[in-house]
Amino acid sequence: MVPKVHRFFQDTNFDPATTHAMCEAYVNACRALPDSGQPEMTREIIAKKIIQAAKDGERDPTKMCERALRASSTAAMSAPKGHLAVPAGAAPK
């Protein structure tokens, strides 16, 4: 079951079916992330890529999810060295 409209998609101008697909894609993308406490920025990137996919005409939640996950992994790999989170209790190398 997909929860009510996620805050990232509240102010978008899509029909209810598309908004539902976007929320489903977002939930599935977040579930696919590692449980290592993903930063809020990663979730925002996922939401923005899902919105862009919908603007581009994509309506399949699986494809939106895949597109967002590809973008978030690319963004994580290109983040400046000092911007990666260090787990609590771990010393940076």
Side-chain angles (χ1 to χ4, degrees), residues 2-93:
V2 175
K4 65 181 183 171
V5 175
H6 192 277
R7 67 184 171 90
F8 290 121
F9 308 122
Q10 285 177 342
D11 296 325
T12 59
N13 293 315
F14 295 102
D15 61 88
T18 302
T19 303
H20 179 82
M22 292 164 64
C23 289
E24 183 179 339
Y26 179 80
V27 168
N28 290 337
C30 289
R31 284 183 184 150
L33 295 173
D35 283 339
S36 61
Q38 294 296 317
E40 183 66 15
M41 182 172 65
T42 301
R43 295 180 186 280
E44 288 180 26
I45 290 168
I46 287 171
K48 287 177 182 180
K49 292 302 176 180
I50 289 171
I51 291 168
Q52 187 58 55
K55 285 181 179 178
D56 291 346
E58 185 59 65
R59 296 299 182 260
D60 182 329
T62 301
K63 290 180 181 176
M64 285 187 223
C65 175
E66 291 169 353
R67 184 169 165 178
L69 287 172
R70 277 193 308 272
S72 67
S73 66
T74 301
M77 289 188 299
S78 63
K81 206 171 195 171
H83 290 81
L84 298 177
V86 176
K93 293 183 179 185

